[in-house]
Amino acid sequence: MYLGDFAVGETLHHKFTTRRFSTGVPFTLAGTPTVSAYEDDSLTQITAGITLTADFDGVVGLNHLAIVATGANGFETGKHYALVITAGTVDSVSVVGEVVGIFTLEQSDKAGFSLAVGGVVAGAIAAAWPAP
């Protein structure tokens, strides 16, 4: 899900839902979950400035990300970023590798960017929406 184009220095907010594989019912993201950002085709995970809150506001399965997209945290103008679960489980099943959002920083020309995120793997991530 493309979240939008933002300025370096902004704090982005994004929510996504995790669901139990067997029932599809919202379920807690557990197991010391982590979301990392990948810049363009880099293999380096950015974790600085990314805060994940599982069961946001006490709502089971609702997860909140706050991303402080500053240069000090490793974010740069003109880049694309994919937000990926790099640690975590849903009902004891790994959800590592799930893409939960994509955004750009100060892209003047987005014509060459195409969102190509595959379907939901085994129903773990069934719903996501952009921050306002």
Side-chain angles (χ1 to χ4, degrees), residues 19 37 39 47 60 80 82 108 123:
R19 297 178 180 273
E39 177 184 282
T47 56
V60 173
H80 302 92
S108 59

Side-chain angles (χ1 to χ4, degrees), residues 30-116:
T32 315
T34 303
V35 170
S36 302
Y38 284 94
E39 177 184 282
D40 293 330
D41 63 349
S42 174
L43 298 176
T44 302
Q45 298 175 12
I46 298 172
T47 56
I50 300 175
T51 303
L52 169 63
T53 305
D55 292 344
F56 183 72
D57 194 31
V59 178
V60 173
L62 178 61
N63 305 284
H64 178 263
L65 286 174
I67 301 108
V68 181
T70 64
N73 287 334
F75 295 93
E76 299 177 49
T77 297
K79 304 288 183 163
H80 302 92
Y81 294 91
L83 298 168
V84 180
I85 298 174
T86 51
T89 61
V90 173
D91 197 21
S92 300
V93 178
S94 175
V95 288
V96 170
E98 289 287 344
V99 177
V100 296
I102 294 176
F103 66 95
T104 55
L105 291 177
E106 299 181 22
Q107 285 286 312
S108 59
D109 177 16
K110 294 186 207 110
F113 179 65
S114 63
L115 180 60

